[in-house]
Every structure is written in structure tokens, then in C-alpha cells.
Amino acid sequence: MLNVRSVDDLTARARIRDAAMLRFGRDGFGAGLRQVAADAGVSPALVLHHFGSKGGLREACDRYVHDELRAVKSDALDRPAGEVVAELAATAQYAPLVTYLVRVVLDGGPGAAAFVDGLVADTAAYLEHGERTGTVRPTSDPQGRARYVVAGQLGLLLLTQLEAAAGRAPSPTTDPAAALAHITATTMQAGLELFTHGLLTDSTYLDAWRAGERTAPPAREQP
Amino acid sequence: MLNVRSVDDLTARARIRDAAMLRFGRDGFGAGLRQVAADAGVSPALVLHHFGSKGGLREACDRYVHDELRAVKSDALDRPAGEVVAELAATAQYAPLVTYLVRVVLDGGPGAAAFVDGLVADTAAYLEHGERTGTVRPTSDPQGRARYVVAGQLGLLLLTQLEAAAGRAPSPTTDPAAALAHITATTMQAGLELFTHGLLTDSTYLDAWRAGERTAPPAREQP
DNA sequence: GTCTATATAATGATAGAC
DNA sequence: GTCTATCATTATATAGAC
């Protein structure tokens, strides 16, 4: 686990960084330095004194998240990445960190692809471990499957954020625990069913795909 | 189908709108009016003359996409929404429209939630149709399942965009057909396997979840 | 309808006092 | 380290000529 610290005994630099993560996470990287400074209770000039430029501030946030995440990951090597992230997101202390991370992915910068690559690799490793212990089915395309699983989790995160923004679900930044409970309540059942039994009743589509290899599926009149 | 029109015989207003959709879709809504005007080959002032404000321009783009999509949808009522979107995305003429749509969702405005709601509803209806015809398994949570499927497709779209931005995959805006082919090649097999057989070997997790109802899954030592 | 020129506000960034 | 004051640039938006 990481250091649990009170809010007051942070250096101004750390306070600015935290404020930036929260503000960028909520509003995107279009948010202004003045806003970040106000959130941190300092002058705009101090932000640039500590981080040089807006880009520097952003990089500092990226580095911080990266380091924290690596610490958490080494603490949870045998668990699925999605679950660890979900647990983090439900912890008030780490929720802004996850929100920021989602924003980085949504923003689509160069760091985003690398981060997602890491998620896919972790997931692939975890699924392979499941295969060895017999709980996960073997697959002909481990990488593709891991990609699919990660994509699903990212999409779910995106959906949750949209619904929170529309006021239809608890906000992950305001009430992280409630937000996770909401995701769980609305998707766990369906997700487990899908992962247990699949969606289709038989393998005609899969067989057709395998037969035609790289051809479009028989799309026109059935799923 | 919709009107096929040449590029030249568009009114300036339409040319500006198209340029805006493309630019906003590529760069996000932070893109400036000057850039849009330059893309359309007009002066910045003309953009505001026609649309009043940047917000007005954005609303015009939203309306246009909404109308086009409704026309396409009425033309493909019995097909899965994801497939229709994928087909559109692969058509050079409509690719910018899809790119813009993805941007709207990523931006997370009020229209985004409504649009996703529509996708979920369509998917739920389509899956129910599949249940009736016997190709899709019944579920205890149709809405949740539709949400899950839509989330997966959104996540896949997001992943594709990230990889394209990182230069590791063909760009959906530059070469739409190649981009779709790439998605298909990298995920269709794994997706079909997942939808046909699921991911888990047995129903212990599902059973445990159903028994505990609304409790967290037995996460610690297996998927 | 379309332009040039301009107003006004906000942005990131700098200089220098304390 | 932290501030106030200010700069240069860009943003959206307006006024008015053609």
C-alpha cells in the first residue's frame, strides 16, 4: 500500500499536482492554469514556477500516476487488472488518480496507447494463468481476447462517466464507492452471464468465420 | 441510402459544416474557428455569419449527424447497430461522420449520453429479436447485457483510435476501409469465440454471484 | 453572402518585488 | 517560495464595407 497522508501537510508543489490531476480529470486538458491554481489555493505564477509550463505540469501528473500505479500493481500481481482498477476507483484517496487516467486514455495522447498496451498485456497474462489453473477457456487468439476484455472494461468506464455527467449515476469523483456499487449492480450479472455462457446459442457464426477465415461474417439476417 | 453529392456543388454553409465535423472529429472541440474556416476555404467571420457562434456550429454538426444517422437506421432496422456503424465507418463518404460521433461520445457532453442510450436500446431490441429467432441466448438482464455489448464496441472503437494515433494501425479517417479490416482481423475471431463459448470454463462464479446476490465476486484467487 | 478590420476576453508565460 | 503585475498570443465574436 501507499502512504496515507493528510491533506494539509503537502508541499505546495504536491498540492498543485493533485489539484491539476483532479481538474484535468474532470474537465479535460483544456482546463486553464488559473483554474488549477485557484483549486490549489496558490497564484497562477507559482504553478509555472514549479512545473515550467502547462506541458510540464501534465507530465508531472503522468509520472505521478505511473509511479503510484506501479506500486499498486506490484502489490496485486495475481489479480485481474480491471478488478484492481475498480477497487482503486472506489477508494476515495485514489479515485482522482483513476479519473485522471481515464482522461489520459480519452485524450488519446502517446502515453495513452502505451498505458492500454500495459493493461492488455497484464490481462493476457492473467487469463493465461486462468487457463493453466483451469478456470479460463483456452483460446486461439490470446492477445485478441485480452484486447476484447480490456476494451469492454474501458467502454464500461466510459459509459459510467457519461451517465455520471448526465446525472443519472453517482459520480466516480464525488462518491467513488457509490459509483463502483452502481457499476457492479448494473453490469455484473450480465457480464458474468456473458463470460460464463457466451451470447450465442450455437457456433454457426464462429464456424462460418473459421471456414471463411478473414471474411466478413454472414451478417445480413442473424446476429 | 443518402444523397451522394460531389464536393464542389456544396453551399459554403454545408462546406463549413463538413469541415467542422472533420476537424472537430480529428482534433476535438478545442479546435479553433480559424482552423475550421481555413479547412473550408472561407474567412473566420463567415463561419459565425452562418452559425452565430461556435456552439451554434457544434449544434449544427450534431443535428446533421443525428439526421443522417436516423436515415441510415430506418434503412437497416433489422441489423445490429454496431455492424451498421462499422459499415458506415468503412465508407469513405461517411467516415468523418462516424469520427465526429466518436468524438462527441469521448467529449462526454449531454448529447453523448442520449446517443449511447439510443445505441443500448437498439442493441437490446436486436438481441431480443435474436432471442425470439433462437440465435441469441436468453438472459436475466436484457438491459445490462445490451449495455455490456455496447460498452465493448465503444471500447474497441476507442482502442482503435488510440492505435491509429500511435501509428500502429490504419487511421479511420484516412483509410476507413483499411481501418475496419484491421479491427476485424484483430478482434473478430476472439470476439466470436467469446460470444459463442464465453470466457470461463464453468458457472462457479456466476452461481456464487447469484447466491450472494449483489455481493462482490469471489475475487481473490481465480478469475 | 463574403470579406477585412477590429473589439474583447482568455490563455500560457515572464519579470521582478518580497 | 510565493506573490503582483504584465506581456504576447490566441480565442470567440462584432462592425461595417463590398
Side-chain angles (χ1 to χ4, degrees), chain A:
Chain A
M1 264 301 164
L2 298 158
N3 301 329
V4 177
R5 22 163 235 224
S6 79
V7 183
D8 300 322
D9 60 358
L10 288 172
T11 67
R13 195 190 141 92
R15 238 170 45 234
I16 294 170
R17 187 206 347 94
D18 286 358
M21 284 200 303
L22 202 62
R23 182 56 65 175
F24 288 154
R26 273 188 212 260
D27 299 352
F29 292 105
L33 291 181
R34 284 171 172 78
Q35 182 66 61
V36 172
D39 292 346
V42 299
S43 73
L46 191 61
V47 177
L48 294 159
H49 169 73
H50 280 300
F51 299 97
S53 70
K54 187 178 185 175
L57 174 59
R58 190 170 158 172
E59 282 167 25
C61 291
D62 287 346
R63 262 196 309 277
Y64 180 75
V65 171
H66 180 261
D67 292 347
E68 294 278 286
L69 212 66
R70 227 174 43 151
V72 172
K73 263 169 82 172
S74 70
D75 206 41
L77 277 177
D78 57 342
R79 300 168 62 202
E83 189 187 299
V84 173
V85 171
E87 201 175 283
L88 275 185
T91 310
Q93 187 184 352
Y94 294 113
L97 196 143
V98 174
T99 302
Y100 179 82
L101 211 48
V102 172
R103 178 63 61 181
V104 169
V105 172
L106 255 48
D107 189 64
F115 171 70
V116 172
D117 283 347
L119 277 185
V120 171
D122 289 351
T123 302
Y126 181 74
L127 289 175
E128 198 200 357
H129 177 262
E131 279 190 46
R132 282 199 303 270
T133 59
T135 57
V136 173
R137 298 176 57 93
T139 177
S140 64
D141 182 7
Q143 198 68 16
R145 182 170 68 175
R147 245 176 70 98
Y148 217 104
V149 170
V150 168
Q153 289 171 344
L154 279 180
L156 228 43
L157 225 51
L158 177 55
L159 240 72
T160 303
Q161 185 170 301
L162 285 182
E163 287 168 0
R168 288 209 312 262
S171 160
T173 36
T174 302
D175 192 346
L180 179 62
H182 180 257
I183 299 185
T184 305
T186 50
T187 59
M188 183 63 83
Q189 172 99 11
L192 275 178
E193 280 183 14
L194 182 62
F195 282 163
T196 303
H197 296 127
L199 181 85
L200 305 170
T201 48
D202 57 39
S203 62
T204 49
Y205 284 98
L206 181 56
D207 294 342
W209 167 260
R210 277 178 175 151
E213 205 64 50
R214 289 180 152 273
T215 305
R220 198 53 179 158
E221 192 45 87
Q222 288 190 2

Side-chain angles (χ1 to χ4, degrees), chain B residues 8 13 19 28 34 48 54 63 110 118 139 144-145 147 154 174 177 180-181 189 195 204 210 222:
Chain B
D8 301 322
R13 194 190 143 92
R34 282 172 169 78
L48 293 159
K54 188 179 185 176
R63 260 196 310 277
T139 177
R145 182 170 68 178
R147 246 176 71 98
L154 278 179
T174 304
L180 179 62
Q189 172 98 11
F195 282 162
T204 49
R210 278 179 176 154
Q222 287 191 1

Side-chain angles (χ1 to χ4, degrees), chain B residues 105-185:
Chain B
V105 173
L106 255 47
D107 187 63
F115 172 69
V116 172
D117 282 347
L119 278 185
V120 172
D122 288 352
T123 302
Y126 181 74
L127 290 176
E128 197 200 359
H129 178 261
E131 278 189 47
R132 281 199 303 270
T133 59
T135 56
V136 173
R137 299 177 56 92
T139 177
S140 64
D141 182 6
Q143 197 68 15
R145 182 170 68 178
R147 246 176 71 98
Y148 216 105
V149 170
V150 169
Q153 289 171 345
L154 278 179
L156 228 45
L157 225 51
L158 177 55
L159 241 73
T160 304
Q161 184 171 301
L162 285 182
E163 287 166 0
R168 290 209 312 263
S171 160
T173 35
T174 304
D175 192 345
L180 179 62
H182 180 258
I183 299 185
T184 305

